Amino acid sequence: MDRAERTALFTAVTFLGIFFGLLVYAAKGMNVDVPTCITDVKPFTEGKVIQHAPNRYEIHYLARMWYFEPSDVEIPAGSTVDIYLTSADVIHGFHIDGTNVNLMAIPGTVAYARVKFDKPGVYHIVCHEYCGIGHQDMATKIVVK
Amino acid sequence: MRVDSSIRTVIVGEIVFAIVLLIFGIYHGLMQVLYRAGVIKSMSFLGIEYYQGLTLHGVINVIVFTTIVIVALGNAVFLYYLQKPLRPAVQWTSFIMMVVGTLMAAWAMFTGKANVLYTFYPPLVAHWTFYVGAALLLVGSVIPLFFDWLPNYVSWRRENPDKKVPLAVYGMLINHIMWVIMLVPVVIEVLFQLLPLSLGLVQEVNPSLARTLFWAFGHPVVYFWLLPAYVMLYTVLPKVVTGDGKLYSDGAARLVFILFLIFSFPVGLHHQFTEPGITNNYKLIHSLFTFGVAVPSMLTAFTVAASLEYSIKSKYPELKNSLFYWWTKIPYISLEGDKWLVSYFMAGLFLFFVGGVTGIINASYNMNLVVHNTSFVPGHFHTTVGGLVTLVFLGMSLYLVSKLTGKDIKFKGLAVIAPWLWWQGMLIFEYAMSVAGIHGFPRRTNTGLTYLNPDSPLYRPEWVGYAELSVFAGVLIVIGFVLWAISFFGTLLSSPVREPVLELPSAEAYHDEKMPALQKLTPWVVFSSLLFLVSYIPPLYDVTKRGVFFDSPGYNDKSPVPITKPPASSKSE
């Protein structure tokens, strides 16, 4: 390897090292993390909204061909929501627009994410994993007042 | 060199068969952008449903077309560089298996019995012919390695103990060894999960396990597509760019192939960042390895650019001290000799630059939450596999068919313009899809019916402009392909003017180091397989023992009622 090649390799590895350091910092230092394996909540068969405190909610989303349970949810601005997600049939997707909540609903498993809704508005949720002929109709929303 | 006419028929046959199918694949690509933008506001067009067309677009373009063309390129490379005859019986067996497998899967897809997309995630199940057909295609594609290429390689090594194996052979060999290793998980998935489910032998499968096995194949497979393109970038491009250019460094090229062999496998979880059931730290480890597999591509960027610079500057000595100006001397559009091929390589490389950047974004663990399953992802891979890989394959197909049939390239002007239209179209497509994706525009969705339909309660006006831009891009791409096809079929149907030969432009190396550690492949293959295994033990434990509570019955795409579980047992719900 000549000098130019070593420089190129060093530059590439340095850049990738910086990128990786930043994403680890975001994950561990700023709690922007991807879903993990949770075993304390079993897959459920109905969707529901549970209010623990004025600004603390837990929503159990059940994805089905081709709708989400619960459908539209209303919560006050500033709420922190624990989202649990499972599927009653095939694999579905779950993406809350404008947030970092991006989950897969896989039957037999439960996905989890926590999100705080500071700004009022309509947060659209679309199913973004192909789930059959009605896939393009599968959406719901969270209205933050 | 002269080639036995039976072998010639197989190689040309493989290329033509793959191209004829690709026409359907590209037609459905155009349909995709029309549906998604709501130009076609319907569930189906000419008897083919949106998701059926998407399945055809995916399976044909990235499973059938790539695999068969790679086998044809492998045949050409091994034959030309080792100068050892291929065995017609082996080649015909492989070709016929691939054709029969493809036709079986095509039957299932065209009749709507396999609307499962090219990732075929259970619990959606397809007709068994889809899985058996795919399996036949894949098995057919490894036959030449075991019964033709490896025996020829071994006897070449024995006859030339002191020589390095030619770089092109080295790259193609590593590529196909990787292919065999990566097929193991997907074969397990298909044989033990999907096929029994579709035949009704079992009633339930574990979808998380199936996805994990699938992506253990589904990521390395993109390097299986890419490496033959890299082989051509290293050996063909420097040669044709000036007529007698050189590859900057042979050692660096070999190192790249070894790095791909090591890092291609322990990375599949980066397709599963947003999935439940897998501990996030395992995902982080796979993310790190994915950054590792970016290194050989960055090294390739250096070597290819250095080879271009060296080749251009040795032809134009007056540019010796130029930093940037030599880029303008590359024959981007030239009809002279084989220089028309440069258009394909350069257009592909420019697209791959974008594809590399978006790929690193995808791999970036938590940043994947922004883009996962949005149109950002198809934006990314249309500049990689739909960019560099396809353009190099189209260029090399035209080149090989012209040489192997002894015909001059017809409509060369169209052939030179085609990749640039393709490039421009893909670039606009990538821009529209990526930016829309950051705004949440989902992939794999017939958005024209709902999200982009002003009459629907789900209407999302913020996505309209991007979808319309992608229609314009799609039309440009298709025009590019049509120009290429006119030249390809014009060449194929013209009458021979020369004796049919097999020729591949092959650049010599400027720096030609020995690097003995890279010459013996077996230790690297063993190491890479072990790393693959070790990196998958923890996630496989998660998806079989910890994170998954029960298995799922199979469904088809039309109904929420399971099709594999008898009604009696579903009562317990």
Side-chain angles (χ1 to χ4, degrees), chain B residues 25 28 54 128 149 172 209 213 243 262 295 312 328 339 342-343 353 359 403 427 450 456 549 557-558:
Chain B
H28 286 295
L54 184 55
W128 62 270
W149 304 344
M172 288 311 260
L209 173 63
L213 289 171
I262 296 170
V295 172
I312 296 289
T328 64
K339 285 187 186 170
V342 176
S343 320
F353 177 78
K403 295 288 175 193
L427 212 55
T450 51
S456 161
F549 290 89
D557 60 306
K558 301 285 190 297

Side-chain angles (χ1 to χ4, degrees), chain A residues 70-86:
Chain A
S71 60
D72 307 358
V73 173
E74 246 189 62
I75 53 165
S79 301
T80 301
V81 183
D82 286 320
I83 289 172
Y84 293 92
L85 170 74
T86 190

Side-chain angles (χ1 to χ4, degrees), chain B residues 332-351:
Chain B
Y332 296 103
I333 296 184
S334 166
L335 298 178
E336 188 194 327
D338 292 334
K339 285 187 186 170
W340 60 273
L341 266 174
V342 176
S343 320
Y344 289 81
F345 285 101
M346 294 314 296
L349 281 170
F350 290 148
L351 285 172

Side-chain angles (χ1 to χ4, degrees), chain B residues 548-563:
Chain B
V548 181
F549 290 89
F550 49 77
D551 290 348
S552 307
Y555 291 81
N556 76 16
D557 60 306
K558 301 285 190 297
S559 152
V561 179
I563 55 168

